[in-house]
Amino acid sequence: MAFPVTRMRRLRATPALRDLVRETTLAAGDLLLPLFVHEQDGRAAIPAMPQVERLSVDEAVVEARDCRRLGVAGVVLFGIPVVKDAEGSQAWAADGVVQRAIAAIKDAVPGLLVVADLCLCEYTDHGHCGVLRADAAGSSTVDNDATLPLLVRAAVAQARAGADIVAPSDMMDGRVGAIRAGLDDAGFPDTPIMAYSSKFASAFYGPFREAAGSAPSDGDRRGYQLDAANGDEAVRESLLDAQEGADILMVKPALAYLDVIWRVKQASRMPVCAYNVSGEYAMVKAAAAAGHLDERAVVLETLTAIRRAGADIVITYHAKDAASWLQ
Ligand code: PBG
């Protein structure tokens, strides 16, 4: 039935009617806040990311308490060690900075979910997400199969420290299966894996690499992260991770990949997380600081859109602000 019988504006007439027919919800409990934990004391600013700081373990606990108070579901931890080496051994050191932060937060704020990002790039001196080997032409490449046991060691160390979820972000083939088997063998069959399944080689990670000191010293990550042009391949990656035992799938970045979020959700019917990454945050903060847009309205619209695209969970640097605006 068309106009004038049908008038779409009828259900938009008042706030109460709009609330009644709203299709997508956004709540603090859908959100995870990334935290960067360094080995120095106190906090250090990250120029491209206003209000996001590198934190000591103690300061990370302060942030975790804030998250709990605001109803944010959890935190995602990234470690920034002082000592980096070719293999990234601080990723699995029992007293590594992330392991200490996991334990401290679980001890102080037990009800808050602690997700451990699982990758080697913050821990290797060359900044790649795995170990390097020289290829036939003499240049270096990330050795997929040699990296898997190192990721397993890091996953077990994180689970042992008390992580509620481990989240591999390295994009090596076969890592989810290897990590699942490794966790099971080590006595952690109930630790879920949230796999960064569709992680694209993206220019939107620039501010993160500055924050984590994890930019590759030479080359780029195109040999292991997805090509921005490929949606079918992202669905395939996601379904493979599901087969290998992933419990939650992730799409990253979020805003330029809303179609991928939708497709992964439709194809998998699994819990899907989307990562609203550092470059997306930096753009909003810069435009808001310049007075070009209304930060609160833009952030809430963006997070709602990511949820509408099919994300059950959103990792976002805006988590605390959004949670306080939603109260
Ligand atoms: C580690 C990792 C990265 C991000 C999350 N985990 C960076 C990268 O792959 O270079 C990016 C997050 C962000 O930009 O907010 N591999």
Side-chain angles (χ1 to χ4, degrees), residues 34 36 49 76 78 117-122 127-129 167-171 196 199-209 212 214-216 221 224-225 250 252-253 275-281 315 317:
F36 298 101
M49 303 178 73
V76 183
F78 295 91
D117 180 85
L118 174 50
C119 194
L120 300 183
C121 65
E122 301 115 71
H128 278 288
C129 303
S169 64
D170 53 284
M171 290 300 280
Y196 289 69
K199 181 174 179 181
F200 289 87
S202 171
F204 286 101
Y205 306 150
F208 173 96
R209 292 180 188 172
S214 65
R221 304 208 202 289
Y224 39 103
Q225 298 180 348
M250 201 196 300
K252 174 183 174 192
Y275 199 138
N276 177 219
V277 300
S278 57
E280 300 172 52
Y281 177 84
I315 301 175
Y317 302 94

Side-chain angles (χ1 to χ4, degrees), residues 26-307:
L26 177 67
D30 305 325
L31 307 178
L32 297 170
L33 176 71
L35 297 179
F36 298 101
V37 191
H38 64 186
E39 297 191 89
Q40 288 74 6
D41 289 334
R43 296 173 175 243
I46 300 165
M49 303 178 73
Q51 285 158 41
V52 179
E53 295 164 302
R54 302 182 186 209
L55 307 164
S56 64
V57 170
D58 289 349
E59 294 296 332
V61 170
V62 171
E63 291 292 313
R65 285 191 207 282
D66 277 358
C67 284
R68 185 69 178 150
R69 179 174 51 78
L70 290 163
V72 172
V75 292
V76 183
L77 298 185
F78 295 91
I80 310 167
V82 171
V83 177
K84 304 192 183 204
D85 56 29
E87 291 201 313
S89 60
Q90 284 298 303
W92 57 83
D95 62 350
V97 65
V98 156
Q99 279 66 256
R100 285 189 282 119
I102 294 167
I105 294 173
K106 285 313 295 180
D107 186 48
V109 202
L112 187 75
L113 287 172
V114 173
V115 180
D117 180 85
L118 174 50
C119 194
L120 300 183
C121 65
E122 301 115 71
Y123 305 93
T124 51
D125 50 16
H126 46 73
H128 278 288
C129 303
V131 285
L132 297 181
R133 92 177 129 70
D135 64 17
S139 58
S140 57
T141 177
V142 173
D143 187 332
N144 189 91
D145 298 12
T147 299
L148 299 181
L150 306 185
L151 293 169
V152 171
R153 287 173 79 172
V156 170
Q158 293 171 341
R160 200 164 273 146
D164 295 296
I165 298 176
V166 297
S169 64
D170 53 284
M171 290 300 280
M172 297 303 118
D173 286 321
R175 92 268 210 222
V176 172
I179 291 165
R180 182 70 274 152
L183 287 172
D184 291 357
D185 281 352
F188 299 101
D190 295 323
T191 301
I193 298 174
M194 178 161 78
Y196 289 69
S197 315
S198 312
K199 181 174 179 181
F200 289 87
S202 171
F204 286 101
Y205 306 150
F208 173 96
R209 292 180 188 172
E210 176 195 341
S214 65
S217 54
D218 78 312
D220 54 38
R221 304 208 202 289
R222 292 176 188 281
Y224 39 103
Q225 298 180 348
L226 282 162
D227 186 324
N230 295 356
D232 286 340
E233 188 184 348
V235 172
R236 238 181 120 199
E237 274 280 9
S238 303
L239 296 178
L240 282 169
D241 281 0
Q243 268 175 30
E244 287 180 33
D247 301 281
I248 302 172
L249 302 175
M250 201 196 300
V251 177
K252 174 183 174 192
L255 281 185
Y257 300 88
L258 294 176
D259 59 319
V260 176
I261 297 172
W262 176 261
R263 289 175 65 174
V264 167
K265 182 66 177 179
Q266 298 306 311
S268 69
R269 307 314 305 180
M270 286 174 61
V272 171
C273 177
Y275 199 138
N276 177 219
V277 300
S278 57
E280 300 172 52
Y281 177 84
M283 289 194 302
V284 171
K285 289 303 239 190
H292 296 325
L293 49 75
D294 174 342
E295 178 177 351
R296 172 182 172 145
V298 164
V299 168
L300 293 176
E301 177 179 335
T302 297
L303 297 176
T304 301
I306 295 169
R307 292 261 305 139

